[in-house]
Amino acid sequence: MENIQEYWAKIPLIMRAIINGIIVQVVGFIALVKILPLNLSIIPNVPWAILPLGICLWLYWSYFGGSGWPKKSSQLRKNYRRAHAIDPSLYPRILYVGLLYSATILCISTLQFSYKALPVEALGLVPMLFELPLWTSIPLALLAALFVGMGEEMSYRGYMQVPLEERYKPYIFLAVPAGIFALSHGLDLQNLPIFFFVSLGWGVIAWCTGSIWPGIIIHFIIDGVGFIWGILALDDLKYVMEYSIAENGWTWGFQMLAILTLVLIILTLWSLNGLRKLTKSHF
């Protein structure tokens, strides 16, 4: 065991942080992708997968937050999870930033999906959940959104970003997790810059507040709205996916959405800078 720890310590910190973050994400997602699809084939009229998924999420969150063996790494795991309490005086600013950021990402995602035609399979869980009754699909969708939010924030803005913050400047400890986060969502050149800059925002929020809780809430809102939109209006979402702005041009609706997105991006950047100044976080 000591030899393994010695070899591990010789690996550059950036690589260790990346490996840790990826491991944490993969462990969490295994439970989600293995259990959730079973509800489609086994008693689909009942959202029974909530119970095993809820247990898995609790075990996952607890272990990587410091519970369980080995005890000597308990404090380190707790620090890396970064689910710390937040100064109540920051709540109004975080709420403002969070709502702006959520609206911005939802608008960017809609434009991203409509830029070129994409298959409905690109929606991941949505087509599968659409096949289930609403009283099954909506609870499962919300739990899946919570699972993804907690898993990705703990992985990228926690386990991957926290150790980098201890040694590197912001442009390193924000850019590295953002780059890996973007790559984890595919190698499409259209999507990589979007996921990169979206992840940067989450990284800034975690850094300024010292906690991943705001990111989890924002992540949950975005994924939850997207999942439920797909469940309740899959045909509309398919239209967005199948329409290609690059081939068919900008309709009036997409032009208005692009203007709104630009305004939201400016407001979001302004609000993130305000949060940075309020928390005295320095680039």
Side-chain angles (χ1 to χ4, degrees):
M1 181 64 70
E2 291 182 0
N3 289 335
I4 294 175
Q5 292 176 344
E6 289 177 3
Y7 287 129
W8 177 251
K10 292 179 181 179
I11 299 174
L13 178 60
I14 289 181
M15 293 304 301
R16 279 185 278 145
I18 291 172
I19 293 170
N20 279 336
I22 291 174
I23 290 174
V24 173
Q25 182 186 31
V26 169
V27 169
F29 277 33
I30 285 175
L32 184 63
V33 301
K34 292 295 184 181
I35 296 175
L36 189 61
L38 293 176
N39 214 142
L40 185 63
S41 55
I42 303 174
I43 319 179
N45 291 329
V46 178
W48 60 265
I50 288 177
L51 180 59
L53 280 174
I55 293 172
C56 288
L57 181 58
W58 177 76
L59 291 172
Y60 172 59
W61 179 257
S62 298
Y63 179 77
F64 287 107
S67 299
W69 181 88
K71 289 297 182 182
K72 64 180 181 180
S73 67
S74 178
Q75 188 59 46
L76 185 65
R77 283 181 279 134
K78 182 178 180 179
N79 292 339
Y80 280 5
R81 187 180 66 176
R82 198 186 211 157
H84 308 306
I86 299 173
D87 182 351
S89 66
L90 293 177
Y91 288 171
R93 174 70 69 166
I94 292 172
L95 177 63
Y96 174 64
V97 172
L99 291 175
L100 267 178
Y101 193 57
S102 300
T104 303
I105 294 178
L106 286 168
C107 288
I108 290 174
S109 299
T110 303
L111 287 174
Q112 169 194 349
F113 284 137
S114 58
Y115 180 74
K116 69 176 183 180
L118 294 170
V120 72
E121 288 74 21
L123 292 172
L125 292 172
V126 172
M128 181 190 72
L129 292 171
F130 181 75
E131 300 294 328
L132 301 173
L134 288 180
W135 55 84
T136 298
S137 61
I138 291 181
L140 289 177
L142 294 176
L143 182 57
L146 181 61
F147 215 119
V148 172
M150 293 176 75
E152 291 192 340
E153 292 307 307
M154 182 165 61
S155 301
Y156 293 98
R157 268 62 71 175
Y159 271 74
M160 198 176 295
Q161 184 171 315
V162 169
L164 297 180
E165 288 182 15
E166 297 172 358
R167 182 177 299 182
Y168 299 103
K169 293 185 179 296
Y171 64 86
I172 296 293
F173 68 66
L174 293 174
V176 170
I180 303 301
F181 180 83
L183 290 171
S184 73
H185 287 77
L187 300 177
D188 191 328
L189 294 179
Q190 170 193 334
N191 297 332
L192 282 175
I194 295 172
F195 280 114
F196 178 82
F197 286 108
V198 163
S199 182
L200 279 181
W202 269 309
V204 170
I205 292 172
W207 170 45
C208 290
T209 62
S211 177
I212 61 171
W213 278 117
I216 289 173
I217 294 170
I218 295 169
H219 221 129
F220 173 73
I221 291 172
I222 294 165
D223 288 345
V225 169
F227 288 157
I228 292 176
W229 179 20
I231 291 169
L232 299 179
L234 186 59
D235 289 340
D236 292 339
L237 193 53
K238 281 183 178 178
Y239 171 78
V240 172
M241 299 286 292
E242 295 170 356
Y243 189 87
S244 172
I245 293 175
E247 296 179 4
N248 303 316
W250 290 81
T251 65
W252 180 85
F254 283 125
Q255 289 175 4
M256 293 298 100
L257 180 60
I259 294 173
L260 174 61
T261 302
L262 180 60
V263 172
L264 286 173
I265 288 173
I266 294 170
L267 290 175
T268 299
L269 291 174
W270 177 77
S271 68
L272 285 172
N273 188 52
L275 179 63
R276 180 186 65 81
K277 291 180 179 179
L278 184 64
T279 57
K280 298 179 174 61
S281 302
H282 300 289
F283 284 104

